[in-house]
Amino acid sequence: MKDLRSLPPAALRARELPIPQHLIRLEDYPVSLANEKLIHAGQDASLIALVEQTWTGFCGAPALRDHSATLLLLARSADEGERSFYLRVMAGHHRTALWHLRKSGPPGELTIRACLDLIFVQTVIFNARDVQSTIADVHLAMVEPVFGLVERVKGYIRASGLNTIFKKVKEDAKHCLKGYMTRTERDAHRRQRIAERRPGKPVAPPSYAKVKGVVAKRVGQLVEQRLAKLSPRQVVKLRRRLDRIMESAREKLEASAHFFPNTPTTISSISRSDVSRDSIDITSKLATAARYSGLGPVECAAVSICRFVQSAVCLRDKFNRAATSFEVGGDLSFDLEHMPGFDIAAMPLGAKTHIKMLLDSYRRLVLDDAAYGAKSGGKPQMERFDNQAVPEIDAAMAWLTVLGPREIGDFEGDINSERKTFHLLDVLPEVRLSR
């Protein structure tokens, strides 16, 4: 796959899933190619080099080529311990890899620092995969915010356009609810057809409501594809569940005129330093604002990239302390807590410039931002290329500073939850370091 934007949002948000073990165990598994695609599916050399510079320039870790070459040697090693260590590192089971290092020491001829370097670099590579998936998801939120229900547009959908989309969904859903036959209704319809049968003629086929509406027809195609993969017994079970769901849905629709509410036209704005939030009108903003707490697409990308660079710096410090602890006392202690809150003052010199360069590349290759490097005709010329996205980066840093570290349960919440937005945009190193 050369473009993650062809995946549905659910797949892009499944960042916690590890690489399947059966793939990694293949004798010809392309380790170097796999790592490059984790960074960028299209294997753009300039973006891969910039991402690599994050851990080589700020952290002094091995280069991507050397890292992948070492993993490949471990995969083909005759030593069982080295092959087992490779599988854990490559699959993202980094806590298990650390546990075996603590229990049995470095496998084969590897040193403890070489082992920790392999885990560290692979963790950062997975974090880069998080960034790529997140920005691809942000792109879909601009061009196809209601994935699968409407065709992708050539351009960006504004938040106000979501109400137009959901109005069609509402009309088609009402029609489907009205036309669906429950088991009781199907039995009554069958008895009626039998009673109306003319002598010598077969029973008339059932007369079901026809699918109407663009959205309903599109959903119907998706449903037919999935039904074709089910066994007859599974189809019967599914129909029984649908009967119960439809009866309940009809009751709720009759009881409430607002069973299909419109998309909110306002949303709680991003927090300020005094932790206060105002209600802002999102109808004039892009559709991303409705999903990401009022943030624009470039600000969303900047949040993810800021946390990626921070993760590399923080993790390098943790791994260095773990290596020193092992060399001094033979104890491999490792802190598995969440990353601290973002603080640009605690970042190394040149970090903000590096974030800007990464954002430029991601805007061009993944976000597909039409405003990148553009000039608006008939209006004052946009800022010079070197200054583009600086306000968005500053806004992202200010927002991250206010929110602090991520907390347990951040993945929950409604459309106004900043904590959930934080989880959607953040990198997830603790996932790999906890399994």
Side-chain angles (χ1 to χ4, degrees):
M1 178 174 290
K2 296 184 178 180
D3 192 347
L4 293 189
R5 294 172 297 184
S6 60
L7 294 174
L12 294 173
R13 294 177 193 173
R15 298 172 293 166
E16 298 89 347
L17 297 179
I19 298 177
Q21 287 274 1
H22 70 276
L23 292 178
I24 304 173
R25 292 178 183 274
L26 295 174
E27 292 184 2
D28 57 347
Y29 184 71
V31 175
S32 179
L33 176 65
N35 279 336
E36 288 182 359
K37 282 187 169 291
L38 286 174
I39 296 173
H40 183 236
Q43 295 178 271
D44 182 82
S46 61
L47 177 55
I48 292 174
L50 274 175
V51 172
E52 179 187 17
Q53 189 180 345
T54 306
W55 71 76
T56 57
F58 294 120
C59 308
L64 178 61
R65 178 181 296 179
D66 297 335
H67 170 76
S68 297
T70 303
L71 285 176
L72 186 59
L73 288 174
L74 294 179
R76 298 175 178 176
S77 172
D79 184 85
E80 177 62 28
E82 291 186 343
R83 293 199 306 273
S84 178
F85 183 69
Y86 153 77
L87 288 173
R88 295 186 180 97
V89 173
M90 198 68 197
H93 296 278
H94 296 162
R95 180 182 182 182
T96 308
L98 289 168
W99 183 84
H100 279 274
L101 285 178
R102 184 184 297 115
K103 180 183 177 182
S104 307
E109 299 181 358
L110 292 173
T111 64
I112 188 65
R113 285 195 178 270
C115 290
L116 292 177
D117 277 347
L118 288 171
I119 299 174
F120 164 71
V121 174
Q122 198 63 32
T123 302
V124 179
I125 289 174
F126 275 115
N127 290 350
R129 192 271 303 271
D130 292 343
V131 175
Q132 182 186 190
S133 299
T134 297
I135 297 179
D137 192 21
V138 173
H139 169 80
L140 288 180
M142 293 192 294
V143 300
E144 196 173 1
V146 190
F147 189 85
L149 294 182
V150 294
E151 295 286 349
R152 185 174 301 190
V153 300
K154 293 181 179 180
Y156 301 155
I157 295 179
R158 293 191 174 276
S160 57
L162 292 176
N163 277 330
T164 303
I165 294 172
F166 280 109
K167 183 179 179 181
K168 296 179 180 178
V169 174
K170 176 180 179 180
E171 293 171 352
D172 291 350
K174 283 185 174 181
H175 176 77
C176 290
L177 285 173
K178 183 179 179 181
Y180 184 87
M181 286 188 185
T182 62
R183 181 175 181 178
T184 302
E185 293 166 339
R186 290 194 300 271
D187 290 343
H189 182 51
R190 182 173 179 274
R191 288 193 297 269
Q192 181 184 358
R193 288 185 286 116
I194 292 175
E196 294 175 350
R197 180 177 68 89
R198 298 175 62 183
K201 298 293 183 179
V203 177
S207 178
Y208 296 126
K210 295 182 179 180
V211 177
K212 294 182 179 180
V214 176
V215 175
K217 289 180 179 179
R218 187 168 176 81
V219 174
Q221 294 173 356
L222 298 175
V223 171
E224 287 175 1
Q225 294 173 4
R226 285 160 175 76
L227 286 177
K229 299 178 182 179
L230 299 179
S231 66
R233 180 172 294 181
Q234 289 174 317
V235 172
V236 172
K237 288 184 177 180
L238 177 61
R239 190 157 200 173
R240 289 173 180 171
R241 291 178 182 174
L242 279 176
D243 288 343
R244 294 191 294 268
I245 292 172
M246 287 298 180
E247 290 173 355
S248 174
R250 285 174 179 173
E251 291 176 2
K252 291 184 178 180
L253 182 61
E254 293 174 358
S256 174
H258 302 288
F259 183 61
F260 294 102
N262 292 328
T263 303
T265 57
T266 60
I267 195 172
S268 297
S269 65
I270 59 176
S271 294
R272 296 189 293 269
S273 57
D274 58 0
V275 199
S276 61
R277 301 175 71 186
D278 296 328
S279 179
I280 61 172
D281 183 1
I282 62 172
T283 54
S284 61
K285 295 180 176 290
L286 293 176
T288 50
R291 181 181 296 176
Y292 299 107
S293 300
L295 293 173
V298 180
E299 290 172 334
C300 291
V303 167
S304 189
I305 293 169
C306 284
R307 290 289 281 178
F308 166 69
V309 176
Q310 181 192 7
S311 72
V313 175
C314 291
L315 288 172
R316 189 52 171 173
D317 180 60
K318 289 185 178 184
F319 276 94
N320 280 339
R321 283 190 276 111
T324 302
S325 174
F326 185 87
E327 292 170 349
V328 173
D331 177 41
L332 186 63
S333 59
F334 194 85
D335 178 13
L336 296 174
E337 297 295 325
H338 284 295
M339 285 195 301
F342 185 84
D343 182 7
I344 187 61
M347 299 290 283
L349 185 66
K352 187 173 182 179
T353 300
H354 185 63
I355 290 170
K356 167 70 173 61
M357 295 172 67
L358 283 170
L359 181 58
D360 286 342
S361 292
Y362 278 111
R363 287 179 72 187
R364 175 174 57 89
L365 296 167
V366 184
L367 188 61
D368 194 18
D369 184 8
Y372 174 73
K375 299 178 181 179
S376 53
K379 296 182 179 180
Q381 181 174 320
M382 293 181 66
E383 287 188 289
R384 292 182 62 250
F385 171 79
D386 292 343
N387 296 326
Q388 283 194 35
V390 171
E392 286 85 354
I393 293 175
D394 291 338
M397 290 181 176
W399 186 67
L400 285 170
T401 302
V402 171
L403 288 185
R406 265 195 304 110
E407 302 169 357
I408 296 176
D410 275 354
F411 57 88
E412 300 175 333
D414 63 10
I415 195 170
N416 287 295
S417 173
E418 279 185 309
R419 306 303 311 184
K420 183 175 182 179
T421 298
F422 192 7
H423 173 79
L424 289 173
L425 298 177
D426 202 4
V427 293
L428 308 174
E430 70 278 1
V431 170
R432 269 74 70 174
L433 291 169
S434 61
R435 67 178 174 215

